[in-house]
Amino acid sequence: MNGPEIFKLTRLTGVWLCLVFLPVWGASWAVGILIPNILSELGKESSSQSLFMFISDLCKLLTPILSILVFIPINAMFMVLFERRALAIFTVRMGPNRTGFDGLAQTAADAVKLLFKEDITPTGADALLFTLAPIIFFAPSIFGALPLLAAITGNHELFQIVNLPTGVFYILAAASLPVVALVMAGWSSNNKYSLVGGLRAAAQAVSYEIPLVLALVTVCLMAGSLDVVKIAEQQAGGILNWNILGGGALTGLDKAIPALISGNSAEWSATLAKYYPHGFLSALATVALTISSFILCGLYLTSACAEINRIPFDLPEAESELVSGYNTEYSGIKFAIFFLAEFTNLFIVSSIATVMFFGGGGNPIPQWILAMLPMEQISAMMNSLLDIPINKLQLLDPKTFWNAFWVIVKVYSIVFFAVLVRGTLPRFRIDQLMDFGWKRLVPLALITFMVVVFARVAVVCHAG
Amino acid sequence: MSTQEATPNALPKLKTDEMVINMGPQHPATHGVLRMVLTLDGEWVRHAEAVLGHLHRAQEWQGQNRTWFQYQALIDRVDYLSGMFTSWALCRTAEVLEEQTIPERAEWLRVMVSEMNRISSHLLWLGTYLIDLGAMFGFPFYPFREREKLLDLFEEVAGQRMMFNYIRIGGVQRDPKATWFQRLRKFTEEFNDRVDEYEAIVTENPIFLRRTKGVGILPLSLAKEFGVTGPSLRGSGSNLDLRKTKPYSVYPKLDFNVQWLDKPEGGDTWDRYILRIREMRESNRIIQQCLDMIPEGPVITKKQIAGLRVKAGEGFSAVESPRGILGCYVTSNGSDKPVRFRWRNPSFCNLSVCGKLLENHPIADIMAIFGSIDVILPDVDR
């Protein structure tokens, strides 16, 4: 163990998380709450009240977009630095520790460097497609993330507008777009390595989208909804309700445990009978659901890794084979956009996993443990202490705050896991990659799908 | 609707073409400046040809135009990962010409430092090989941790971390301190555990096995045809190791085994990997024995001066370097400059077989195979 380095990484994470989320929080509050409130105050005395109303509504509508636009670049900077420092710890190195205080400003400096670099279009390249490719690569990661915003803020009224009844479908549609950009980038660069990289990206994305979609579809089947907010809300109330553990099959147990603790055996058996109506078959189905949803989470994380081209599936940009794959010829700001989008995709994939499998913004502590603590008193005390920011300024909404807190913890844990994988595994070969996708993951996904279809009948799940 | 029958012959034939790719010399994975001209059919290599000479520094010519004393310092650069072996080959040839025997302690020191050098070379190979396989950031730096310790030891004894110039004609440069031996002993004691660590991560890693098992099979006949030596040859069913087959220095007094696999049908890249791992353990054993058995005494016959002369005649000697047999041929006319130099470099012969090995493998295997041969480009071009 490398104590000092781990401490430095923790410090860096803390500082940068503040740098990432305070601006987002502030911007959302300013545009979504402060300005509309001021406008409506002014509008009361003004003659043109409807104009003020219109502008204040427009501000509210723009809040989700604004928060994402503020969030993505800063977050990507943080994630690059986080990955470099964490990898340095795994690989007995130091990592960037000079720029700014202990390397905190390294990625900011890198970003500035990339912005000022010459933007080269190679001879013989298709200039239009060459320029469009990074944009098309980056755009889906912005609008694909929108429905998630409602789910991870606990359906805050400012973000309800971006929620869709078919959110999962929309996210998947957006997630399948970037591959077009990769093929475009590979082809338009007029470079053979880029071309091979682009073609690899296409083959890989097509093969791994199937297990990815099957995994998410099975979760939607368990939840009985395509609405990400609904899926996240169903999982509230502790770790036993999360989709990674049975997709609601353990909810009955979660509900029955308080009765067991208080010694009320009649209520215990009544609750169990309500949620597990078929006795032994229900128990069997619960076990099956728990195992298969765990597998589904693994399937999702594996194929998501392949979707966003991370080690061990980073074949489109395999450094030791294809120099840098599809982005070999890119430099300056275009390369920066590719880089930005890659890390944003990692973040979005982790947020999807959080919402679909890890209970969204819900805390992992079961309700019956929370019930033992004086939570009411604590929250009342906090409310009176922070009266001004919570009630007067509406700067701090406790529900949204805790949602965001747990989302941050969960998402960055998954990101950390991805970094750990990157620090451990070698790369697949392209034919082995295809074998793994089509011969292992797709059948496994289909089998779990069938198991879930049948096992769900015997248990009262979230949807039931 | 026409009812035209779509027989296979009636379909327009899809036009496919082979693509020629110029891999290197700036490619990040060609270990320096190798240039390979690949003919690709999609992802598959149909023909591969190595183009040499990007790092040609006329080392042989330089030897003929410099004094023995000057050239000694230059020769470490030929194979910069195992400088001890190149200087050892040169010094042995000069000693053959001089018909001189060097002090006993110097022989032991030479064996010790060159086995250390073998370990450090193999460690670097292990790290870079995993980078070739795409483990870009994780494991590859751990072998460097051990290598650093060895380089520190080299630095203390030779004053340099890579270009040692430690082995001199007539002995070695200087006698290490007692603390140096203690540090080396400490290193050898914990080294096996470190290798166990590497093996725990790599040897049975499923992705690593998939990438290396059955890839780049080198049959014994092909290896002999191209003059492949070193671990690459021993992985294919030959036990040729100069330390045993043609013993030199104090190797006959040491107890060690030549690491080889009885696989005449051909060893794959995994075999070459495991051989190098075993060789490191064996070298470690040799160093431990040296530490126990090293006698006291002088380390060089006489202090070297700039006007060093070597007797007239022709001489050849070879040592077993980490990459194979390293031979040095010299013609001397008795002056302070040799007349003709000729090096037999293992990397050159080992690289020549690469083209044959790469045929009908996917692009991704190029680096898996090329890396497993363990080629040092300066050693190829000299």
Side-chain angles (χ1 to χ4, degrees), chain B residues 128-246:
Chain B
T128 50
Y129 185 54
L130 283 152
I131 292 181
D132 287 341
L133 287 181
M136 283 314 269
F137 292 103
F139 177 71
F141 289 93
Y142 283 85
F144 280 66
R145 180 183 58 183
E146 260 46 71
R147 186 168 171 269
E148 276 304 302
K149 291 178 186 162
L150 281 174
L151 294 192
D152 286 346
L153 288 170
F154 283 137
E155 191 180 6
E156 190 179 325
V157 72
Q160 260 279 22
R161 292 165 74 81
M162 279 176 89
M163 311 303 167
F164 314 109
N165 193 15
Y166 180 64
I167 297 179
R168 300 285 176 86
I169 297 169
V172 296
Q173 187 193 1
R174 66 168 78 93
D175 201 358
K177 289 175 188 163
T179 50
W180 187 83
F181 290 106
Q182 285 165 10
R183 280 167 64 196
L184 182 58
R185 189 179 288 282
K186 190 156 170 289
F187 173 83
T188 56
E189 275 159 8
E190 56 193 33
F191 182 68
N192 263 335
D193 297 340
R194 298 290 186 222
V195 180
D196 288 342
E197 272 179 27
Y198 307 150
E199 283 213 77
I201 305 179
V202 181
T203 307
E204 295 297 327
N205 183 325
I207 301 181
F208 181 74
L209 285 179
R210 278 175 175 224
R211 292 294 309 273
T212 52
K213 276 275 183 193
V215 169
I217 293 174
L218 174 63
L220 184 57
S221 53
L222 190 69
K224 282 184 173 168
E225 212 175 295
F226 280 86
V228 175
T229 47
S232 311
L233 175 69
R234 291 196 284 277
S236 300
S238 163
N239 62 352
L240 177 70
D241 187 329
L242 284 191
R243 292 176 294 175
K244 271 278 192 239
T245 47
K246 212 176 172 191

Side-chain angles (χ1 to χ4, degrees), chain B residues 115-116 119 184 188 283-291:
Chain B
E115 292 302 330
M116 280 161 68
I119 293 179
L184 182 58
T188 56
S283 292
N284 194 40
R285 257 184 76 201
I286 294 177
I287 297 172
Q288 277 173 337
Q289 291 174 35
C290 287
L291 282 169

